[in-house]
Protein backbone atom coordinates (compact mmCIF):
# COMPACT_ATOMS: atom_id res chain seq x y z
CA UNK A 1 0.00 0.00 0.00
CA UNK A 2 1.14 3.59 -0.65
CA UNK A 3 0.59 5.84 2.37
CA UNK A 4 1.10 9.50 3.28
CA UNK A 5 1.14 10.42 6.97
CA UNK A 6 0.75 14.16 7.61
CA UNK A 7 2.30 14.88 11.03
CA UNK A 8 4.73 12.02 11.54
CA UNK A 9 7.80 13.62 13.12
CA UNK A 10 6.76 12.45 16.60
CA UNK A 11 4.13 10.59 18.63
CA UNK A 12 1.38 8.58 16.98
CA UNK A 13 2.26 9.56 13.39
CA UNK A 14 5.90 8.56 13.79
CA UNK A 15 4.95 5.21 15.36
CA UNK A 16 2.42 4.56 12.57
CA UNK A 17 5.16 5.28 10.01
CA UNK A 18 7.48 2.78 11.67
CA UNK A 19 4.82 0.06 11.85
CA UNK A 20 3.56 0.54 8.29
CA UNK A 21 7.17 0.54 7.04
CA UNK A 22 7.96 -2.75 8.84
CA UNK A 23 4.94 -4.24 7.07
CA UNK A 24 6.41 -3.37 3.68
CA UNK A 25 4.34 -0.36 2.67
CA UNK A 26 5.56 2.58 0.58
CA UNK A 27 5.55 5.68 2.76
CA UNK A 28 5.75 9.45 2.76
CA UNK A 29 5.82 11.43 5.99
CA UNK A 30 5.49 15.14 6.71
CA UNK A 31 5.97 17.62 9.52
CA UNK A 32 7.64 20.95 10.26
CA UNK A 33 10.79 19.61 11.98
CA UNK A 34 13.11 18.78 9.12
CA UNK A 35 15.81 17.18 11.29
CA UNK A 36 13.27 14.67 12.64
CA UNK A 37 12.04 13.87 9.14
CA UNK A 38 15.63 13.27 8.02
CA UNK A 39 16.30 11.13 11.11
CA UNK A 40 13.23 9.03 10.29
CA UNK A 41 14.37 8.70 6.68
CA UNK A 42 17.73 7.45 7.98
CA UNK A 43 15.93 4.80 10.05
CA UNK A 44 13.47 3.85 7.30
CA UNK A 45 15.44 3.96 4.02
CA UNK A 46 13.38 4.71 0.93
CA UNK A 47 10.61 6.71 2.57
CA UNK A 48 9.69 10.08 1.09
CA UNK A 49 9.74 13.16 3.31
CA UNK A 50 8.25 16.61 2.93
CA UNK A 51 8.74 19.46 5.36
CA UNK A 52 5.83 21.91 5.58
CA UNK A 53 3.52 23.65 8.01
CA UNK A 54 -0.14 22.77 7.35
CA UNK A 55 -1.14 26.23 8.57
CA UNK A 56 0.84 28.19 6.00
CA UNK A 57 1.94 25.87 3.21
CA UNK A 58 0.23 25.29 -0.09
CA UNK A 59 -0.87 21.87 1.10
CA UNK A 60 -2.27 20.91 -2.30
CA UNK A 61 1.05 21.38 -4.10
CA UNK A 62 3.08 19.75 -1.28
CA UNK A 63 0.86 16.66 -1.24
CA UNK A 64 0.56 16.65 -5.02
CA UNK A 65 4.35 16.54 -5.35
CA UNK A 66 4.58 13.63 -2.92
CA UNK A 67 1.90 11.71 -4.80
CA UNK A 68 3.77 12.24 -8.06
CA UNK A 69 7.00 10.90 -6.49
CA UNK A 70 5.10 7.88 -5.13
CA UNK A 71 3.16 7.34 -8.34
CA UNK A 72 -0.20 7.45 -6.51
CA UNK A 73 -1.44 6.72 -2.98
CA UNK A 74 -4.06 4.47 -1.37
CA UNK A 75 -4.23 5.96 2.13
CA UNK A 76 -3.67 9.38 3.68
CA UNK A 77 -3.58 9.77 7.45
CA UNK A 78 -4.02 13.26 8.95
CA UNK A 79 -2.20 13.05 12.26
CA UNK A 80 -1.08 16.66 12.66
CA UNK A 81 -2.63 18.26 15.68
CA UNK A 82 -2.00 20.78 18.41
CA UNK A 83 -3.56 21.79 21.71
CA UNK A 84 -2.25 23.26 24.93
CA UNK A 85 -4.57 22.95 27.92
CA UNK A 86 -4.46 25.87 30.36
CA UNK A 87 -6.66 27.51 32.95
CA UNK A 88 -6.23 30.88 31.24
CA UNK A 89 -7.84 31.44 27.87
CA UNK A 90 -4.98 32.49 25.57
CA UNK A 91 -6.21 33.61 22.17
CA UNK A 92 -2.90 32.81 20.42
CA UNK A 93 -3.04 29.19 21.61
CA UNK A 94 -6.68 28.86 20.64
CA UNK A 95 -6.01 30.25 17.17
CA UNK A 96 -2.93 28.06 16.74
CA UNK A 97 -4.97 24.92 17.56
CA UNK A 98 -7.72 26.00 15.21
CA UNK A 99 -5.33 26.77 12.36
CA UNK A 100 -3.73 23.30 12.54
CA UNK A 101 -6.68 21.15 13.60
CA UNK A 102 -9.29 22.84 11.41
CA UNK A 103 -7.76 24.93 8.61
CA UNK A 104 -4.81 22.62 7.91
CA UNK A 105 -7.12 19.66 8.25
CA UNK A 106 -9.70 20.97 5.76
CA UNK A 107 -7.01 21.76 3.19
CA UNK A 108 -5.68 18.22 3.50
CA UNK A 109 -8.97 16.35 3.78
CA UNK A 110 -10.66 18.10 0.86
CA UNK A 111 -7.62 17.55 -1.34
CA UNK A 112 -7.39 13.86 -0.35
CA UNK A 113 -11.10 13.22 -0.82
CA UNK A 114 -11.13 14.78 -4.30
CA UNK A 115 -7.96 12.91 -5.26
CA UNK A 116 -9.41 9.55 -4.14
CA UNK A 117 -12.73 10.34 -5.83
CA UNK A 118 -10.98 10.99 -9.12
CA UNK A 119 -8.87 7.87 -8.70
CA UNK A 120 -12.00 5.83 -7.95
CA UNK A 121 -10.84 4.48 -4.60
CA UNK A 122 -8.87 5.37 -1.49
CA UNK A 123 -9.01 5.92 2.24
CA UNK A 124 -8.59 8.99 4.40
CA UNK A 125 -7.96 8.43 8.10
CA UNK A 126 -8.21 11.39 10.45
CA UNK A 127 -7.11 11.51 14.07
CA UNK A 128 -9.71 13.41 16.07
CA UNK A 129 -10.11 12.64 19.79
CA UNK A 130 -12.49 11.50 22.50
CA UNK A 131 -12.24 15.22 23.40
CA UNK A 132 -14.40 15.86 20.32
CA UNK A 133 -17.46 14.62 22.17
CA UNK A 134 -17.92 17.49 24.66
CA UNK A 135 -16.72 21.02 25.28
CA UNK A 136 -13.69 21.34 27.52
CA UNK A 137 -12.88 24.30 29.77
CA UNK A 138 -9.10 23.68 29.73
CA UNK A 139 -8.79 23.66 25.93
CA UNK A 140 -11.99 24.93 24.30
CA UNK A 141 -10.44 25.29 20.85
CA UNK A 142 -8.90 21.80 20.98
CA UNK A 143 -12.16 20.00 21.82
CA UNK A 144 -14.14 22.18 19.38
CA UNK A 145 -11.61 21.63 16.59
CA UNK A 146 -11.68 17.87 17.13
CA UNK A 147 -15.49 17.94 17.00
CA UNK A 148 -15.09 19.69 13.65
CA UNK A 149 -12.77 16.91 12.43
CA UNK A 150 -15.21 14.16 13.46
CA UNK A 151 -18.19 15.95 11.95
CA UNK A 152 -16.31 16.63 8.73
CA UNK A 153 -15.31 12.97 8.48
CA UNK A 154 -18.94 11.91 8.82
CA UNK A 155 -19.94 14.42 6.15
CA UNK A 156 -17.33 13.04 3.75
CA UNK A 157 -18.52 9.47 4.35
CA UNK A 158 -22.06 10.49 3.44
CA UNK A 159 -20.75 12.36 0.40
CA UNK A 160 -18.84 9.27 -0.78
CA UNK A 161 -21.95 7.17 -0.38
CA UNK A 162 -24.12 9.65 -2.34
CA UNK A 163 -21.49 9.84 -5.09
CA UNK A 164 -21.24 6.02 -5.18
CA UNK A 165 -17.45 6.17 -4.94
CA UNK A 166 -15.24 3.72 -3.10
CA UNK A 167 -13.75 6.30 -0.73
CA UNK A 168 -13.69 5.51 2.98
CA UNK A 169 -13.09 8.05 5.74
CA UNK A 170 -12.03 6.64 9.09
CA UNK A 171 -12.39 8.84 12.17
CA UNK A 172 -9.93 7.68 14.84
CA UNK A 173 -10.86 8.95 18.30
CA UNK A 174 -8.01 8.36 20.75
CA UNK A 175 -8.29 8.65 24.50
CA UNK A 176 -4.99 9.38 26.28
CA UNK A 177 -1.92 8.10 24.42
CA UNK A 178 1.58 8.47 25.88
CA UNK A 179 3.06 11.21 23.67
CA UNK A 180 4.11 14.78 24.37
CA UNK A 181 0.58 15.83 23.39
CA UNK A 182 -0.95 14.01 26.38
CA UNK A 183 -0.58 16.80 28.89
CA UNK A 184 -4.21 17.35 29.85
CA UNK A 185 -5.61 17.26 33.35
CA UNK A 186 -6.78 14.11 35.16
CA UNK A 187 -5.24 11.55 32.80
CA UNK A 188 -6.13 7.87 33.08
CA UNK A 189 -5.97 4.75 30.88
CA UNK A 190 -2.90 6.28 29.18
CA UNK A 191 -1.96 3.82 26.41
CA UNK A 192 1.53 3.18 25.01
CA UNK A 193 1.92 4.69 21.56
CA UNK A 194 2.87 1.29 20.05
CA UNK A 195 -0.44 -0.22 21.19
CA UNK A 196 -2.41 2.80 19.97
CA UNK A 197 -0.77 2.68 16.54
CA UNK A 198 -1.49 -1.06 16.26
CA UNK A 199 -5.17 -0.49 16.99
CA UNK A 200 -5.29 2.43 14.56
CA UNK A 201 -3.86 0.21 11.79
CA UNK A 202 -6.44 -2.48 12.53
CA UNK A 203 -9.30 0.04 12.41
CA UNK A 204 -8.01 1.46 9.12
CA UNK A 205 -7.62 -2.00 7.60
CA UNK A 206 -11.19 -2.85 8.66
CA UNK A 207 -12.34 0.39 6.94
CA UNK A 208 -14.16 1.46 10.10
CA UNK A 209 -16.07 4.72 9.97
CA UNK A 210 -15.34 5.51 13.65
CA UNK A 211 -12.87 3.84 16.00
CA UNK A 212 -11.97 4.53 19.62
CA UNK A 213 -8.33 3.95 20.54
CA UNK A 214 -7.67 2.18 22.77
CA UNK A 215 -10.88 0.22 22.35
CA UNK A 216 -12.13 0.65 25.92
CA UNK A 217 -12.49 4.41 25.33
CA UNK A 218 -15.73 3.47 23.61
CA UNK A 219 -17.20 3.13 27.10
CA UNK A 220 -16.05 6.62 28.09
CA UNK A 221 -17.56 7.93 24.86
CA UNK A 222 -20.95 6.40 25.69
CA UNK A 223 -20.86 7.93 29.17
CA UNK A 224 -19.63 11.32 27.95
CA UNK A 225 -22.38 11.55 25.34
CA UNK A 226 -25.10 10.84 27.89
CA UNK A 227 -23.80 12.80 30.88
CA UNK A 228 -26.15 15.71 31.71
CA UNK A 229 -24.47 19.14 31.55
CA UNK A 230 -25.04 19.71 35.27
CA UNK A 231 -22.77 16.76 36.06
CA UNK A 232 -20.40 17.09 33.08
CA UNK A 233 -19.51 20.72 33.94
CA UNK A 234 -17.76 19.50 37.12
CA UNK A 235 -15.22 17.52 35.07
CA UNK A 236 -15.21 19.14 31.64
N1 LIG B 1 -1.64 11.83 22.61
C1 LIG B 1 -2.91 11.86 22.94
O1 LIG B 1 -3.27 11.57 24.11
C2 LIG B 1 -3.95 12.19 21.92
C3 LIG B 1 -5.30 12.02 22.27
C4 LIG B 1 -6.28 12.32 21.34
C5 LIG B 1 -5.93 12.77 20.08
N2 LIG B 1 -4.61 12.95 19.76
C6 LIG B 1 -4.31 13.45 18.43
O2 LIG B 1 -3.38 12.61 17.80
C7 LIG B 1 -2.64 13.35 16.84
C8 LIG B 1 -1.16 13.09 17.02
O3 LIG B 1 -0.76 13.64 18.27
P1 LIG B 1 0.43 13.05 19.13
O4 LIG B 1 -0.12 12.69 20.45
O5 LIG B 1 1.17 12.04 18.36
O6 LIG B 1 1.31 14.39 19.37
P2 LIG B 1 2.68 14.89 18.76
O7 LIG B 1 3.78 13.97 19.11
O8 LIG B 1 2.78 16.31 19.22
O9 LIG B 1 2.47 14.84 17.18
C9 LIG B 1 1.87 15.87 16.47
C10 LIG B 1 2.36 15.81 15.05
O10 LIG B 1 1.67 16.84 14.32
C11 LIG B 1 2.63 17.61 13.60
N3 LIG B 1 2.17 18.98 13.52
C12 LIG B 1 1.71 19.78 14.51
N4 LIG B 1 1.43 21.00 14.05
C13 LIG B 1 1.72 20.98 12.73
C14 LIG B 1 1.66 21.96 11.70
N5 LIG B 1 1.23 23.21 11.93
N6 LIG B 1 2.03 21.61 10.44
C15 LIG B 1 2.47 20.35 10.19
N7 LIG B 1 2.55 19.38 11.11
C16 LIG B 1 2.20 19.70 12.37
C17 LIG B 1 3.91 17.51 14.44
O11 LIG B 1 5.05 17.69 13.63
P3 LIG B 1 5.97 19.03 13.65
O12 LIG B 1 5.94 19.58 15.06
O13 LIG B 1 7.31 18.55 13.21
O14 LIG B 1 5.31 19.92 12.66
C18 LIG B 1 3.85 16.06 14.93
O15 LIG B 1 4.42 15.22 13.97
C19 LIG B 1 -3.04 14.82 17.04
O16 LIG B 1 -3.99 15.19 16.08
C20 LIG B 1 -3.65 14.82 18.42
O17 LIG B 1 -4.59 15.87 18.58
C21 LIG B 1 -3.61 12.67 20.65
Amino acid sequence: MKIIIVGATSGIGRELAQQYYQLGNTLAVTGRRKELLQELQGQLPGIHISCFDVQTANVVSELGALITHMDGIDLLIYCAGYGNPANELVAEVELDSTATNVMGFVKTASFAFNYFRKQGHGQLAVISSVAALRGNSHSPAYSASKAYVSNYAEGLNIKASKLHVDVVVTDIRPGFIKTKMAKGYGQFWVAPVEKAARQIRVAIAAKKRVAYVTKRWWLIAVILKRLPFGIYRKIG
Side-chain angles (χ1 to χ4, degrees), residues 15-197:
E15 179 62 28
L16 279 171
Q18 284 164 337
Q19 293 190 14
Y20 276 118
Y21 182 85
Q22 301 305 337
L23 292 166
N25 297 285
T26 301
L27 273 186
V29 295
T30 84
R32 291 166 300 179
R33 289 169 289 175
K34 194 169 189 177
E35 68 288 357
L36 293 182
L37 290 171
Q38 288 168 337
E39 182 189 289
L40 197 57
Q41 196 175 37
Q43 287 171 7
L44 314 176
I47 64 167
H48 303 266
I49 59 173
S50 180
C51 185
F52 63 90
D53 184 334
V54 296
Q55 291 189 17
T56 53
N58 184 342
V59 171
V60 171
S61 63
E62 298 288 352
L63 293 175
L66 277 179
I67 291 173
T68 304
H69 285 310
M70 298 168 79
D71 196 20
I73 58 164
D74 308 293
L75 167 66
L76 187 145
I77 306 174
Y78 190 82
C79 213
Y82 172 69
N84 200 6
N87 287 326
E88 295 303 315
L89 189 65
V90 182
E92 288 75 16
V93 173
E94 300 295 274
L95 288 168
D96 207 6
S97 301
T98 307
T100 301
N101 304 352
V102 176
M103 305 303 285
F105 163 73
V106 173
K107 288 189 257 180
T108 309
S110 55
F111 167 78
F113 184 89
N114 287 328
Y115 170 81
F116 290 137
R117 181 187 174 191
K118 195 169 168 199
Q119 176 173 262
H121 65 90
Q123 187 171 10
L124 169 66
V126 302
I127 314 288
S128 63
S129 174
V130 168
L133 299 172
R134 298 296 292 254
N136 187 291
S137 64
H138 301 296
S139 49
Y142 183 76
S143 55
S145 65
K146 292 300 185 176
Y148 183 99
V149 170
S150 282
N151 220 313
Y152 199 94
E154 184 172 63
L156 290 188
N157 270 314
I158 297 167
K159 189 178 278 301
S161 153
K162 285 186 174 166
L163 292 168
H164 304 289
V165 286
D166 182 20
V167 178
V168 176
V169 183
T170 299
D171 176 12
I172 303 289
R173 299 178 183 173
F176 291 118
I177 312 295
K178 200 166 173 40
T179 70
K180 78 170 167 45
M181 171 79 71
K183 54 193 166 197
Y185 301 87
Q187 290 184 25
F188 60 100
W189 287 358
V190 181
V193 69
E194 298 81 8
K195 182 177 181 181

